[in-house]
């Protein structure tokens, strides 16, 4: 390669350069639709893949690079050099004008003739090679003959000497530029030492830094910043675009220009580009007031969980202030917030997730729930992120990625996360660390504006093996007595230890637990005094529903209230949900029966329930 700053060339081009003497064909795949920074006589410039190949070819003494694809036909580097190409390669009997179409049979002819032309160093790039055939695993006769001819041309290619000092022998090289190496027949590539395969990676930090320095000049207000402030926002631009392409960075600058964003607003420009939404709910003035008053409003609906509610609000406050992961060097791409709700069933874990959604977005439609017991098998991964290419439903996408595309500002609830297959859990590693996920179609979705909530019953049950009639059975029982639960401090300690053991030793995925961090919120059992409060709240809901539906008032005598409290709060194993279920049986059913049997209730009338009795296992009301 030229002495011109070797390290300035992209690594993939250096790999091509090293192999030019041994490989007549190359398959270039991966990030082939991006810009690549290469050194030119005018300095470092961003070039397309084919333009970058031409810059390398010139340095290696090639006179021409022909580019062809089935859409745009043929073109020649240097630009306007077709007449000169036709003159230099007179033996190929090229047509007087550049062919407008590049059919496979024409491409095959050019590959064969260029490979055998030894008098002039010329390269051929087959752009959009992924579109040559619809299905590389099912070729028709002509398609098979095309690739068989190209394979033969690769094996019959002969070396040629390239003029110029220090230029080693090479071939008239053929470059196949494909989105994915699997878009070409496997038999054409596998075990073929005459075809090199090179994957173009996404730009690393150094490349993005170069790009950011060039692109930043397009932003409004960039030139008026002090050098230190400019460097600060430049670093932010580089960090925020981790995992993105150079063309994405260019599009971000164009988006910022359209929205009138100056360079100090680069974070907003990147966020808007990622999620496709210009407005940022996290910066609304009313959100701080909602969170400030959140403890009171949530505690009215979720009883007996002051510690869990306060810790959840602390995590949300941190998210709103943009301090999630502030201890790391950079964490701008991580989800806005991560919460892991653990504890007994029926104590308000799911309800708190709904209340958080209302608090943050004032819209329960932004609450998305995934029952992870439905993802207990390995193949259910396709339901979340979409089926891979070649499988049924590939174009439909996955439930999770589609949901976050539709509503990037969301609360995502993953219920009973411990029931998911370990392979499903592996997907959360990338989401929690990088705030993004690649779906089955290869598209990237971003979770940087979402709040993730996991719920779990880990630590609530003890599992033991026992032998029943010669069969080993798994016995599962509660570790704690719901009627006499342990103090909250002990409960929290044991639940946290159980979660730690599950992820470290049973799943062997401690890295997932590390990414959740200290965001574990342990819920307390519903204790008796709290159960009475839940009963009162639910009874109030019943009164309001009856008043709304029938314009009458329901009231309880003290005797009836005590009876219902004893019936509904006697067994707290199922928490608040169990209280609601018992209230439905003991009060709502007989009340509905009484209202149904008498249709002449007057508007504004009061129905006073004097007593509740149980006869033949059926509850009945005595009305005043």
């Amino acid at each position: 390669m030229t002495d011109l700053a070797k390290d300035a060339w992209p690594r993939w081009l250096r790999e091509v350069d090293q192999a030019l003497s041994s490989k007549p064909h190359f398959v270039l795949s991966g990030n082939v639709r991006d810009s690549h920074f290469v050194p030119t006589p005018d300095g470092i410039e961003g070039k397309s893949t084919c333009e970058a190949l031409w810059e390398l070819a010139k340095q290696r003494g090639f006179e021409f690079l022909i580019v062809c694809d089935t859409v745009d036909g043929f073109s020649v580097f240097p630009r306007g050099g077709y007449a000169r190409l036709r003159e230099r390669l007179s033996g190929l009997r090229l047509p007087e004008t550049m062919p407008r179409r590049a059919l496979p049979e024409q491409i095959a002819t050019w590959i064969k003739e260029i490979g055998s032309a030894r008098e002039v160093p010329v390269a051929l790039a087959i752009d959009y090679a992924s579109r040559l055939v619809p299905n590389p695993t099912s070729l028709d006769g002509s398609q098979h003959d095309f690739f068989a001819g190209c394979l033969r041309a690769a094996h019959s290619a002969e070396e040629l000497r390239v003029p110029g000092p220090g230029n080693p022998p090479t071939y008239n090289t053929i470059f196949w530029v494909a989105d994915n190496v699997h878009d070409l027949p496997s038999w054409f590539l596998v075990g073929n030492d005459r075809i090199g395969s090179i994957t173009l990676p996404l730009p690393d930090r150094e490349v993005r830094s170069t790009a950011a320095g060039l692109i930043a000049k397009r932003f409004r207000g960039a030139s008026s910043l002090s050098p230190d402030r400019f460097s600060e926002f430049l670093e932010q631009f580089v960090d925020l675009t981790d995992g993105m392409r150079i063309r994405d960075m260019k599009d971000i600058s164009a988006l910022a220009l359209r929205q009138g964003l100056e360079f100090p607003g680069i974070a907003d420009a990147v966020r808007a580009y990622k999620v496709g939404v210009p407005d940022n709910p996290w910066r609304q003035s009313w959100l701080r007031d909602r969170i400030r008053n959140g403890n009171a409003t949530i505690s009215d609906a979720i009883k007996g969980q002051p510690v869990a509610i306060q810790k959840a609000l602390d995590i949300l406050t941190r998210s709103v202030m943009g301090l999630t992961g502030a201890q790391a060097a950079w964490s701008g791409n991580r989800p806005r917030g991560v919460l892991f709700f653990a504890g007994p069933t029926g104590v308000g874990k799911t309800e708190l997730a709904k209340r958080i959604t209302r608090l943050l977005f004032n819209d329960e439609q932004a609450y998305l729930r995934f029952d992870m017991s439905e993802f207990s098998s390995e193949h259910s991964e396709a339901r979340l992120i979409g089926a891979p290419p070649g499988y049924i439903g590939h174009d439909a996408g996955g439930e999770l990625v589609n949901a976050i595309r539709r509503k990037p500002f969301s609360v995502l609830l993953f219920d009973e996360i411990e029931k998911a297959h370990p392979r499903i859990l592996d997907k959360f590693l990338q989401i929690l660390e990088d705030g993004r996920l690649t779906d089955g179609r290869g598209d990237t979705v971003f979770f940087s504006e979402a709040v993730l909530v996991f719920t779990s019953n880990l630590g609530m049950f003890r599992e033991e093996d026992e032998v029943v009639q010669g069969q080993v059975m798994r016995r599962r029982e509660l570790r704690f007595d719901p009627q006499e639960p342990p103090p909250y401090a002990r409960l929290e300690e044991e639940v946290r230890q159980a979660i730690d053991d599950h992820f470290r030793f049973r799943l062997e995925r401690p890295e997932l637990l590390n990414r959740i961090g200290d965001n574990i919120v342990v819920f307390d059992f519903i204790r008796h005094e709290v159960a009475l409060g839940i009963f009162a709240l639910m009874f109030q809901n019943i009164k309001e529903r009856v008043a709304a539906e029938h314009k009458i008032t329901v009231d309880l005598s003290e005797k009836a209230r005590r009876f219902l409290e004893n019936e509904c709060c006697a067994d707290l194993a199922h928490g608040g949900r169990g209280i609601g279920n018992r209230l439905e049986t003991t009060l709502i059913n007989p009340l509905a029966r009484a209202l149904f049997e008498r249709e002449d209730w007057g508007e504004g009338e009061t129905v006073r329930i004097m007593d509740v009795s149980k006869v033949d296992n059926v509850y009945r009301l005595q009305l005043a």
Side-chain angles (χ1 to χ4, degrees):
M1 184 177 284
T2 174
D3 293 335
L4 219 174
K6 265 191 178 183
D7 291 341
W9 292 82
R11 179 174 296 177
W12 67 269
L13 270 178
R14 298 202 299 268
E15 292 177 12
V16 170
D17 178 64
Q18 292 172 1
L20 278 175
S21 298
S22 58
K23 309 285 185 185
H25 286 226
F26 289 88
V27 175
L28 306 179
S29 61
N31 190 30
V32 295
R33 303 296 159 215
D34 203 2
S35 293
H36 311 280
F37 290 102
V38 297
T40 71
D42 298 324
I44 301 294
E45 295 184 12
K47 302 284 187 180
S48 69
T49 299
C50 289
E51 289 171 338
L53 286 173
W54 171 235
E55 293 299 324
L56 173 64
K58 285 192 297 184
Q59 299 296 332
R60 285 296 301 262
F62 283 78
E63 291 188 33
F64 305 97
L65 170 66
I66 304 171
V67 179
C68 67
D69 68 68
T70 56
V71 176
D72 292 332
F74 293 86
S75 59
V76 173
F77 289 98
R79 298 295 187 185
Y82 182 71
R84 173 67 175 161
L85 169 70
R86 189 166 174 268
E87 175 187 336
R88 293 284 287 134
L89 295 178
S90 57
L92 296 186
R93 300 183 300 279
L94 299 179
E96 291 188 10
T97 59
M98 178 73 70
R100 294 298 181 185
R101 298 192 64 191
L103 299 175
E105 54 268 24
Q106 292 174 307
I107 296 174
T109 299
W110 282 55
I111 288 175
K112 179 181 178 181
E113 293 182 347
I114 288 173
S116 61
R118 304 189 61 194
E119 66 274 16
V120 178
V122 57
L124 173 66
I126 305 164
D127 205 1
Y128 294 96
S130 296
R131 306 281 75 83
L132 285 172
V133 292
N135 187 350
T137 62
S138 181
L139 303 178
D140 62 25
S142 62
Q143 293 165 350
H144 183 276
D145 291 345
F146 166 74
F147 281 105
C150 294
L151 182 63
R152 181 177 179 84
H155 284 283
S156 60
E158 298 182 13
E159 285 186 353
L160 72 156
R161 282 279 174 188
V162 179
N167 282 330
T170 186
Y171 297 90
N172 277 346
T173 311
I174 310 298
F175 297 101
W176 302 78
V177 183
D179 298 324
N180 192 307
V181 69
H182 301 296
D183 295 333
L184 301 176
S186 58
W187 57 264
F188 178 65
L189 304 173
V190 176
N192 189 349
D193 60 358
R194 303 285 281 177
I195 301 179
S197 181
I198 295 176
T199 301
L200 280 61
L202 290 172
D204 57 21
R205 183 180 177 82
E206 182 179 352
V207 173
R208 295 198 315 279
S209 295
T210 300
L214 298 173
I215 296 171
K217 300 172 184 177
R218 305 179 184 178
F219 282 85
R220 294 177 180 175
S223 59
S224 62
L225 294 173
S226 67
D228 289 343
R229 291 288 285 170
F230 181 82
S231 297
E232 176 187 340
F233 291 116
L234 197 66
E235 287 294 303
Q236 191 178 15
F237 190 19
V238 175
D239 288 329
L240 286 168
T241 52
D242 181 31
M244 300 176 76
R245 297 175 171 84
I246 302 302
R247 67 181 184 189
D248 295 322
M249 300 176 73
K250 292 178 178 178
D251 290 342
I252 289 168
S253 69
L255 175 65
L257 188 63
R258 289 195 301 271
Q259 293 188 348
L261 296 175
E262 296 191 348
F263 196 44
I266 185 62
D268 286 333
V270 174
R271 178 198 53 75
Y273 180 78
K274 284 180 176 179
V275 303
V277 179
D279 297 327
N280 188 354
W282 293 99
R283 293 194 176 181
Q284 298 297 324
S285 58
W286 47 261
L287 187 54
R288 290 193 183 189
D289 292 334
R290 280 178 171 271
I291 293 180
R292 190 176 294 114
N293 300 322
N295 202 320
T297 57
I298 293 177
S299 296
D300 288 342
I302 301 174
K303 301 294 185 182
Q305 306 296 340
V307 177
I309 292 172
Q310 186 56 58
K311 181 158 187 179
L313 288 172
D314 285 345
I315 294 172
L316 292 181
T317 302
R318 184 178 70 200
S319 302
V320 169
M321 300 306 294
L323 296 178
T324 297
Q327 70 278 10
W330 181 252
S331 57
N333 291 329
R334 294 179 183 175
R336 275 283 178 167
V338 176
L339 295 153
F340 192 104
F341 292 166
T345 184
V347 296
K349 298 192 292 292
T350 301
E351 182 62 25
L352 182 54
K354 292 180 180 179
R355 295 286 167 169
I356 286 173
T357 307
R358 290 185 196 171
L359 195 71
L360 294 177
F361 306 119
N362 200 27
D363 176 15
E364 275 208 15
Q365 297 301 314
Y367 162 82
L368 303 166
R369 178 180 177 271
F370 296 87
D371 186 346
M372 300 312 290
S373 64
E374 299 177 5
F375 298 89
S376 57
S377 61
E378 183 175 355
H379 70 270
S380 58
E381 172 190 4
R383 279 187 57 192
L384 277 183
I385 67 171
Y391 288 81
I392 295 174
H394 166 62
D395 293 333
E399 295 176 19
L400 176 58
V401 293
N402 287 345
I404 203 67
R405 278 196 189 98
R406 288 191 299 267
K407 288 214 173 270
F409 296 92
S410 302
V411 173
L412 301 175
L413 174 65
F414 301 97
D415 220 356
E416 298 186 288
I417 187 65
E418 74 275 9
K419 295 183 179 179
H421 191 277
R423 182 167 177 177
I424 302 294
L425 296 178
D426 291 340
K427 297 299 176 185
F428 290 104
L429 289 173
Q430 185 179 3
I431 294 173
L432 294 173
E433 181 67 22
D434 302 322
R436 65 175 183 261
L437 187 64
T438 303
D439 65 11
R441 297 178 295 189
D443 297 328
T444 300
V445 293
F446 297 94
F447 294 77
S448 54
E449 306 304 323
V451 174
L452 273 58
V453 179
F454 303 96
T455 73
S456 171
N457 292 322
L458 286 171
M460 290 296 103
F461 296 93
R462 181 186 296 111
E463 295 183 355
E464 295 179 353
D465 291 335
E466 63 177 6
V467 179
V468 179
Q469 297 180 352
Q471 298 289 328
V472 177
M473 307 292 290
R474 193 75 169 168
R475 186 164 58 89
R476 194 168 185 251
E477 62 181 19
L478 280 169
R479 294 179 61 185
F480 309 101
D481 182 0
Q483 306 307 121
E484 297 182 8
Y488 177 77
R490 179 188 154 201
L491 173 68
E492 182 182 33
E493 180 182 355
E494 294 200 24
V495 169
R496 283 177 170 271
Q497 186 60 53
I499 294 171
D500 188 271
D501 292 344
H502 180 80
F503 280 96
R504 290 184 185 278
F505 304 118
R506 184 168 180 177
L507 294 181
E508 297 182 344
R509 281 165 172 77
E511 63 275 13
L512 182 58
L513 188 63
N514 287 340
R515 283 163 176 78
I516 294 171
D518 197 36
N519 297 324
I520 298 173
V521 180
V522 179
F523 284 63
D524 197 3
F525 278 93
I526 299 297
R527 301 173 190 269
H528 185 69
E529 62 277 10
V530 175
L532 295 178
I534 293 174
F535 173 89
L537 179 64
M538 290 183 173
F539 178 68
Q540 183 62 32
N541 292 338
I542 295 171
K543 288 181 62 175
E544 292 174 0
R545 176 68 67 84
V546 173
E549 293 287 340
H550 303 283
K551 312 301 182 191
I552 59 178
T553 302
V554 176
D555 195 13
L556 282 178
S557 69
E558 188 61 30
K559 181 180 180 181
R561 179 180 291 276
R562 285 199 304 270
F563 178 87
L564 290 172
E565 287 177 345
N566 290 334
E567 286 287 314
C568 296
C569 302
D571 183 4
L572 299 177
H574 300 289
R577 193 175 292 114
I579 296 172
N581 292 338
R582 290 297 298 161
L583 196 54
E584 190 174 71
T585 301
T586 59
L587 177 61
I588 297 176
N589 289 349
L591 178 60
R593 192 186 318 123
L595 295 175
F596 181 79
E597 290 173 353
R598 176 183 166 185
E599 299 181 0
D600 60 342
W601 297 99
E603 185 172 331
E605 190 173 347
T606 297
V607 178
R608 184 166 178 79
I609 301 172
M610 301 304 297
D611 197 6
V612 184
S613 59
K614 185 179 182 183
V615 180
D616 296 331
N617 210 33
V618 176
Y619 289 89
R620 301 183 184 277
L621 305 182
Q622 179 184 337
L623 306 180

